[in-house]
């Protein structure tokens, strides 16, 4: 083989080796990108899983609270009502909140994560705290699409609506008789509740945990997540409690005249003797329920995230 041919052979071999080397270097890049969408979708799973755990634990307590909100009665009378109706009634109506809360909490955490990334990408100069607040308000507002689930849950929990057999029966009856608007009765108080309360929750969740003594063990870390979520969630739930009272009154009505949030508020106010504190009937039980619920949700979310996030 001549020197010229040898040179050409070496050059071609070098090009092939360089191509193979470049191909080997390019392949890992696609592999490192692929886990990101999976990680983002898992945020919805963490939120939904945390809500599922919470609903199964706290539903009976929530039912007592509902009776207090609706009838303005004490905890003893609410418990007595459920005792008279029997054990089978305790979990009557659990499917709508299970579907609604699991889905809404999945959206709450998942969309918050998505909106946060979107806002930081589109407006890189915006302060982190402002981005968090905006993302939280957007995620809370987006949750309002699930109002029909909360509407059906409210109707099923009302002991005056015993002719409804189950969730599907309520959906069909409300839609066929009154249209889609009837399923969204009570939308206004939910919008007033979800966006602002989400902003407070996501704005102070980690800050509140940082105020607690640093955990030295896994159990201690779970406990800190529970305490921070419990205190923050219970405080938010107490401040927004009168809005939930109005929401319950609006949603429990089937058919008839549609009363606005303001009209419903004043009706309750006058019915209860023009006493503002009467709008807080059941708030102590609501505080206890929220303390447990948001403690479970926050701790479960963090535990699921730690367990299932790809390493």
């Amino acid at each position: 083989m001549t020197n010229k041919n040898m040179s050409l052979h070496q050059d071609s071999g070098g090009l092939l080796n360089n191509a193979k080397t470049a191909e080997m270097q390019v392949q890992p890049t696609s592999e490192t990108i692929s886990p990101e969408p999976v990680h983002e979708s898992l945020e919805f799973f963490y939120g939904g899983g945390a809500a599922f755990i919470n609903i199964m634990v706290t539903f009976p307590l929530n039912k007592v609270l509902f009776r207090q909100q609706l009838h303005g009665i004490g905890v003893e009378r609410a418990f007595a009502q459920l005792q008279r109706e029997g054990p089978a009634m305790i979990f009557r109506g659990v499917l709508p909140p299970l579907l609604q809360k699991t889905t809404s909490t999945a959206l709450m955490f998942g969309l918050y994560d998505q909106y946060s990334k979107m806002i930081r990408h589109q407006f890189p100069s915006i302060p982190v705290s402002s981005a968090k607040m905006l993302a939280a308000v957007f995620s809370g507002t987006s949750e309002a699409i699930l109002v029909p689930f909360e509407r059906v849950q409210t109707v099923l929990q009302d002991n005056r609506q015993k002719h409804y057999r189950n969730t599907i029966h309520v959906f069909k009856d409300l839609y066929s008789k009154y249209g889609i608007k009837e399923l969204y009765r009570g939308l206004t108080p939910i919008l007033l509740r979800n966006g602002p309360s989400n902003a407070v929750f996501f704005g102070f969740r980690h800050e509140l945990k940082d105020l607690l003594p640093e955990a030295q063990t896994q159990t201690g870390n779970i406990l800190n997540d529970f305490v921070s979520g419990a205190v923050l969630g219970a405080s938010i739930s107490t401040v927004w409690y009168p809005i939930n009272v109005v929401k319950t009154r609006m949603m429990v009505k089937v058919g008839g005249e549609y009363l606005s949030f303001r009209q419903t508020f004043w009706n309750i106010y006058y019915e209860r003797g023009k006493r503002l504190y009467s709008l807080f009937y059941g708030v102590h039980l609501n505080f206890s329920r929220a303390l447990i619920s948001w403690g479970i949700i926050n701790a479960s979310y963090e535990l699921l995230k730690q367990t299932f996030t790809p390493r």
Side-chain angles (χ1 to χ4, degrees), residues 164-192:
Y164 287 118
R165 297 186 299 273
N166 51 43
T167 301
I168 296 176
H169 186 200
V170 180
F171 266 116
K172 286 183 176 179
D173 188 68
L174 295 182
Y175 180 73
S176 62
K177 290 182 178 178
Y178 309 105
I180 190 68
K181 184 179 179 180
E182 186 70 16
L183 291 172
Y184 281 87
R185 189 188 287 260
L187 174 63
T188 300
I190 286 180
L191 290 174
L192 292 173

Side-chain angles (χ1 to χ4, degrees), residues 228-240 283 286-292 294-295:
S228 58
V231 172
L232 187 56
S235 301
I236 292 170
S237 183
T238 300
V239 172
W240 269 266
V283 72
N286 176 73
F287 183 87
S288 301
R289 178 188 62 85
L291 202 69
I292 298 169
W294 283 104

Side-chain angles (χ1 to χ4, degrees), residues 13-265:
L15 288 171
L16 288 171
N17 288 335
N18 289 338
K20 290 180 180 179
T21 302
E23 183 180 357
M24 292 174 65
Q25 290 174 345
V26 169
Q27 284 179 349
T29 304
S30 62
E31 292 177 358
T32 56
I33 293 174
S34 60
E36 183 64 21
V38 176
H39 174 69
E40 290 179 355
S41 63
L42 282 174
E43 288 291 324
F44 293 91
F45 166 72
Y46 305 146
F52 180 87
I53 295 169
N54 167 63
I55 286 294
M56 298 310 295
V57 173
T58 63
F59 185 77
L61 184 63
N62 186 55
K63 199 150 195 178
V64 174
L65 175 63
F66 169 83
R67 296 292 175 88
Q68 290 191 273
Q69 288 180 336
L70 183 60
H71 303 301
I73 58 178
V75 63
E76 296 84 1
R77 286 186 60 189
F79 270 119
Q81 282 185 2
L82 290 176
Q83 285 179 335
R84 286 195 302 269
E85 293 167 11
M89 289 293 293
I90 293 178
F91 280 94
R92 181 178 186 261
V94 71
L95 184 59
L98 196 62
L99 294 173
Q100 185 264 331
K101 285 299 293 182
T102 299
T103 309
S104 67
T105 310
L107 291 177
M108 174 182 169
F109 282 96
L111 289 179
Y112 169 74
D113 180 68
Q114 296 295 307
Y115 283 131
S116 296
K117 292 174 181 176
M118 188 186 307
I119 292 170
R120 289 199 298 267
H121 176 73
Q122 296 293 331
F123 309 98
S125 61
I126 192 171
V128 175
S129 59
S130 299
K132 288 168 65 175
M133 292 291 183
L134 284 173
V137 171
F138 291 158
S139 69
T141 303
S142 300
E143 290 175 52
I145 195 173
L146 300 173
V147 166
F149 287 109
E150 197 162 347
R151 171 84 162 106
V152 171
Q153 173 194 352
T154 303
V155 172
L156 281 174
Q157 286 188 329
D158 184 9
N159 59 334
R160 296 170 299 182
Q161 306 285 357
K162 293 181 179 180
H163 61 283
Y164 287 118
R165 297 186 299 273
N166 51 43
T167 301
I168 296 176
H169 186 200
V170 180
F171 266 116
K172 286 183 176 179
D173 188 68
L174 295 182
Y175 180 73
S176 62
K177 290 182 178 178
Y178 309 105
I180 190 68
K181 184 179 179 180
E182 186 70 16
L183 291 172
Y184 281 87
R185 189 188 287 260
L187 174 63
T188 300
I190 286 180
L191 290 174
L192 292 173
R193 179 194 68 187
N194 283 10
S197 62
N198 270 19
V200 176
F201 180 79
F202 285 111
F204 295 98
R205 189 166 70 98
H206 293 296
E207 285 74 3
L208 185 57
K209 183 181 178 181
D210 290 341
L211 296 176
L212 300 173
E214 185 176 355
Q216 303 298 322
T217 63
Q218 173 70 6
T219 303
N221 191 52
I222 294 173
L223 181 61
N224 279 359
D225 287 327
F226 181 90
V227 171
S228 58
V231 172
L232 187 56
S235 301
I236 292 170
S237 183
T238 300
V239 172
W240 269 266
Y241 187 81
I243 291 180
N244 277 330
V245 171
V246 178
K247 183 246 347 169
T248 299
R249 177 66 68 87
M250 292 177 72
M251 284 189 163
V252 80
K253 186 176 181 181
V254 176
E257 181 185 3
Y258 184 90
L259 298 179
S260 67
F261 176 84
R262 186 179 64 177
Q263 289 173 307
T264 306
F265 174 87

